Amino acid sequence: MNHKILVCYKSVTGFTKRYAEEIANKVDGTLLNFKDVTFETLSQYDIIVFGSRFHAGTVDGLKKIKKLIAKSNKKTFILFATGATPSTAEKTIQQAWANNLTVNELHQIPHFYMPGGLCYEKMPLFEKIMMKTFATIMKHKLKNKKNKIKEDREFERVISTSYNISSKKYTKPLIALLKEEY
């Protein structure tokens, strides 16, 4: 592989950073925190991999990285996002991508979802309060639901506490793409 690869990430609780580290390590890429990225930085690389979290339905930092990439005239952009949703929730994940990427971008930008989890201990206070409030509301709604299904009980359980569903296996398709195509 003779392309210069930049793996930049935006991480709050650590899931995205760990995935970015794994990817950069496996493809001999440069790892950089998104807060340190400029269009000049991007201009030094052939391939830009950006990772962030799904937060309130959007990929955190996606608009900014797309603007920086447009400014730097880079053609190869790969995106990954992390979240608390299990990888088996394919419809939910596809909808999230459709809410963040245009129809053309969905076809042009390779994008990957990598489950992370929830880490209340590392969440900023405001986000922690919002999540705990959401969890309380959902528990109340589910408590009053007459016919709870398995997914309802699982959702109620996981949103209440920190959990980690991340795995290096989720990086393999992105790493394979970089090794095979670029």
Side-chain angles (χ1 to χ4, degrees):
M1 198 173 351
N2 55 4
H3 295 287
K4 287 181 70 180
I5 300 171
L6 174 66
V7 180
C8 56
Y9 65 90
K10 188 169 185 182
S11 187
V12 174
T13 58
F15 295 110
T16 306
K17 181 180 180 184
R18 284 192 298 275
Y19 281 129
E21 289 170 338
E22 175 71 7
I23 294 162
N25 182 46
K26 294 291 184 184
V27 300
D28 196 27
T30 301
L31 181 69
L32 193 60
N33 190 315
F34 185 59
K35 67 183 178 186
D36 300 321
V37 172
T38 64
F39 86 94
E40 291 91 354
T41 307
L42 296 181
S43 298
Q44 300 172 31
Y45 294 89
D46 300 317
I47 300 167
I48 309 302
V49 178
F50 175 67
S52 189
R53 65 182 176 153
F54 276 115
H55 178 65
T58 62
V59 177
D60 196 13
L62 181 59
K63 287 181 182 178
K64 183 176 178 185
I65 191 74
K66 286 195 304 187
K67 285 179 185 175
L68 289 171
I69 287 171
K71 227 178 180 183
S72 71
N73 295 318
K74 286 296 160 188
K75 300 283 187 243
T76 306
F77 174 54
I78 299 171
L79 174 64
F80 75 90
T82 61
T85 302
S87 63
T88 54
E90 292 175 16
K91 283 185 180 180
T92 301
I93 295 164
Q94 288 173 359
Q95 185 59 54
W97 285 123
N99 291 342
N100 283 272
L101 300 171
T102 67
V103 173
N104 285 341
E105 289 172 336
L106 284 168
H107 296 290
Q108 294 170 352
I109 300 172
H111 52 281
F112 301 85
Y113 177 71
M114 299 177 192
L118 281 177
C119 185
Y120 282 108
E121 297 79 13
K122 292 183 180 178
M123 259 184 215
L125 181 61
F126 180 73
E127 288 182 27
K128 188 185 302 188
I129 291 168
M130 294 300 293
M131 284 300 296
K132 289 292 187 177
T133 301
F134 177 67
T136 302
I137 291 168
M138 293 310 295
K139 277 184 175 182
H140 182 71
K141 282 184 178 184
L142 290 173
K143 181 180 175 183
N144 294 329
K145 189 175 179 182
K146 296 202 189 280
N147 299 320
K148 282 188 191 179
I149 60 174
K150 179 183 170 187
E151 288 82 6
D152 291 337
R153 288 189 297 278
E154 181 64 9
F155 178 76
E156 186 176 17
R157 182 186 68 77
V158 299
I159 199 164
S160 300
T161 61
S162 294
Y163 63 94
N164 180 350
I165 56 174
S166 66
S167 171
K168 290 180 181 180
K169 72 180 181 183
Y170 296 115
T171 63
K172 289 181 180 181
L174 193 156
I175 291 167
L177 175 70
L178 287 167
K179 287 184 174 182
E180 292 169 14
E181 306 240 350
Y182 305 106

